[in-house]
Structures are given as structure tokens and as C-alpha cells.
Amino acid sequence: MTEISNCKGLVSSISEYLDGELPPELCAELEKHMSECENCTIVVNTMRKTIDLYRQPAPDNPLPDEIKSRLYARLHLEDYLDKQIPEHP
Amino acid sequence: MTEESLNNSNISLAALKAGDRAEFARLVDATSNHIYRLALKILRDPQDAEDVLQESYIKALRALPEFEGRSSLSTWLYRIAVNEALMLLRKRRVNLVPVEEDPDEDDLQAGMVLTDWRFLPEDELLSAESRRRLEQAVDTLPETLRVVFMLRDMEGLSIRETAGMLGLTETAVKTRLLRARLKLRNQLSVYFGERLTENSSE
């Protein structure tokens, strides 16, 4: 296990830290290092934000019409293409 | 995993198992877009992604009688699709299981960009242009890192599930995930750093 009390060690543990998978004693060590190192604080915070942004649902981008038609044809669902199907009772 | 659209559409598993075509059409309607985008991100080829889309439903229909509902319907279906996409990747002889890498920490730290951009306004962080940059950044990741990042961070699989799907050890998944996240963080830091500079000079 790498020492987390320096920048190198912090970088290799960052992912597990953000996933909440780092043992508590190592978390404490990492947080202590962060409190003394502005650069590492930036790296941890922007890494958290990066993951956050990727987890945001993408805006609805509908399936292209021709791909949808071919899919429905292949699955023999042509009768249902572009129809509102009521919920199953 | 994007469960919301499917949960909102109340697909009946019993109706699906009974061979109800209308219910199957509703399932396809609620999930096909996600499956296509997922396959496209993994394979980066529209024709391959369309093949995966079609094959996934054909396999799902075949496997439906054995589906016991231990996971949600959408999770089950998306896994079938991921497996299909990975099979195609393997056919292309992309080596998803190379020799176990041991990250050189000096290398991990190399070229680290230290801009604190996280307080940019949300509408800027999630603007159409920013989303395009996010997509581009994932596309530039090497295949081995991209697939791990997508399954874990974009599809929300656990480390263990990601390892299982890719036939990797959990340690290898963690290593690749770290590398992928560091690379993406760096790319985003360069981009959002430019935005910060633009904002402050306005």
C-alpha cells in the first residue's frame, strides 16, 4: 500500500476514495494531506465533479427514424411503429 | 444505469413472458435508444451498433422464459446488449485482457492540470458544447480504458460486475478506472480552464 501522505500516493488512491471504498484510516490520511496541499484538493474536487458530470443523464436524443424502422421490421413489430401503445391493464 | 424511462413505462414482465407483442413493443420503445447509444459508445461504429441493437432484443426474447426478475428488466436487457457489444469488440480482436498493468505513479501524475473549474455555473458545465467535449474526451480514451469507464461510471455497474463482464480482475478494473478518470479530468480541466479564462476576461 502506498503512503497517502504525499501527492503521488494520493493520486493512486483518489478513485477508491471518491467511490467510498477506501478504508477509514486511509481516508483520514488522505484528507489530512488534502488539508495541507491545495493542488491535491483541486485534483480531488475536479475529479469528483468530472465523474458527476458523466453521470448526468444525456438529453433525450431519439433513435434515428431509419434505425428504428429497421429494428421494428427485424422484430416483426411494424404494426407498433410510431403508435402510442396503452399500458398493460 | 438509466432505469427511469423504463420504470416510468411500467412494463409487465408477466405480459412479456406470455408473448404479448404490444408489451414487447413498449419495452423496445422504452429501451432501444439507450441500447443504441450504449453500443455506439462502445463500438464507435453505427453499423455495428445497429447490429447490437437488433441482436440484443432477439437474444432477450429467447432468454425471457429463464429471466427470473432478480435484477430489473432494464438492467438485464442492458447487460445482454453490453455482452453483444463486447463480443463484437473481441471479434475485432481488440485485446480487452492484456498483461496486468502496474501503474507507474509518476506517469499518473504527469501533466496534471491544476485549474479549479468546479464552480463554473451548472448551465455552463452542462451546455451542449460542454456535453460535446465530454463525449469527445471519452472517445479519445484507449479502448481498454473506455469500456471500463463506460460500464462503471456511465452505466453504473459495480467494480465486481465490470470485472465479471470484461473477464478482468477487480484490481485491473480499478487501475483502468483510475487511469480513465485521471485522463478525463485532465481533458475537462483544460477545456473548462479555457472557459474560466474567457469568463474572467469578459
Side-chain angles (χ1 to χ4, degrees):
Chain A
M1 177 63 67
T2 323
E3 289 284 319
I4 297 182
S5 50
N6 59 44
C7 306
K8 263 193 193 180
L10 179 133
V11 167
S12 60
S13 306
I14 231 178
S15 217
E16 286 177 275
Y17 172 69
L18 291 175
D19 285 345
E21 287 169 4
L22 202 62
E25 64 276 17
L26 294 181
C27 283
E29 211 178 304
L30 185 141
E31 281 159 6
K32 181 171 180 293
H33 174 70
M34 274 169 69
S35 71
E36 294 156 356
C37 177
E38 197 186 332
N39 286 350
C40 280
T41 305
I42 292 175
V43 172
V44 170
N45 286 335
T46 48
M47 172 86 104
R48 182 184 285 120
K49 194 76 196 173
T50 298
I51 299 167
D52 232 39
L53 288 179
Y54 276 103
R55 288 188 177 161
Q56 301 286 328
D60 237 4
N61 200 355
L63 195 62
D65 283 345
E66 65 281 7
I67 295 179
K68 191 172 178 184
S69 305
R70 288 195 290 266
L71 173 66
Y72 278 57
R74 176 91 195 274
L75 301 173
H76 308 295
L77 292 174
E78 296 95 329
D79 293 351
Y80 300 100
L81 192 62
D82 298 325
K83 271 193 197 147
Q84 278 286 359
I85 311 159
E87 263 185 39
H88 202 263
Chain B
M1 193 145 312
T2 319
E3 305 262 346
E4 209 169 312
S5 59
L6 193 54
N7 288 342
N8 288 345
S9 51
N10 292 320
I11 306 287
S12 156
L13 181 58
L16 281 178
K17 286 198 175 207
D20 185 324
R21 299 295 292 166
E23 201 64 2
F24 182 52
R26 292 183 64 234
L27 174 72
V28 173
D29 186 53
T31 52
S32 51
N33 192 24
H34 184 84
I35 290 182
Y36 178 70
R37 306 280 159 208
L38 179 62
L40 192 56
K41 279 205 205 92
I42 294 178
L43 294 158
R44 289 196 288 191
D45 179 277
Q47 186 54 56
D48 284 350
E50 190 173 344
D51 289 347
V52 165
L53 177 67
Q54 297 186 0
E55 283 309 310
S56 299
Y57 287 109
I58 287 167
K59 292 238 162 105
L61 268 185
R62 227 176 275 152
L64 199 55
E66 277 89 55
F67 175 59
E68 291 170 353
R70 280 201 204 122
S71 62
S72 78
L73 192 57
S74 57
T75 301
W76 174 75
L77 189 57
Y78 296 149
R79 286 195 192 162
I80 291 175
V82 168
N83 269 325
E84 280 298 306
L86 292 176
M87 254 165 40
L88 260 191
L89 263 194
R90 290 193 185 102
K91 272 194 202 152
R92 284 200 210 144
R93 297 176 197 277
V94 172
N95 192 359
L96 290 171
V97 196
V99 187
E100 215 69 342
E101 64 263 76
D102 188 17
D104 176 342
E105 284 160 13
D106 285 324
D107 174 31
L108 286 181
Q109 271 192 297
M112 196 84 96
V113 183
L114 294 167
T115 315
D116 196 357
W117 48 268
R118 83 204 131 102
F119 294 119
L120 272 170
E122 281 292 305
D123 58 353
E124 189 143 347
L125 289 171
L126 290 169
S127 69
E129 173 63 12
S130 299
R131 284 187 185 273
R132 208 171 57 77
R133 292 300 189 111
L134 290 167
E135 296 254 332
Q136 274 177 358
V138 173
D139 283 346
T140 62
L141 289 178
E143 200 98 69
T144 49
L145 301 189
R146 199 178 72 246
V147 174
V148 168
F149 178 78
M150 280 195 52
L151 295 186
R152 169 76 182 122
D153 276 344
M154 299 177 78
E155 289 301 306
L157 268 61
S158 67
I159 297 278
R160 179 190 288 249
E161 289 170 320
T162 307
M165 290 206 100
L166 297 172
L168 291 168
T169 62
E170 289 185 31
T171 311
V173 168
K174 285 182 186 172
T175 305
R176 289 182 194 186
L177 184 65
L178 171 65
R179 288 182 163 261
R181 285 170 166 180
L182 283 171
K183 279 180 189 286
L184 294 173
R185 190 208 70 88
N186 235 26
Q187 290 210 43
L188 263 52
S189 296
V190 171
Y191 171 62
F192 287 127
E194 287 164 9
R195 305 306 302 258
L196 272 179
T197 318
E198 281 167 26
N199 285 4
S200 62
S201 62
E202 271 166 18

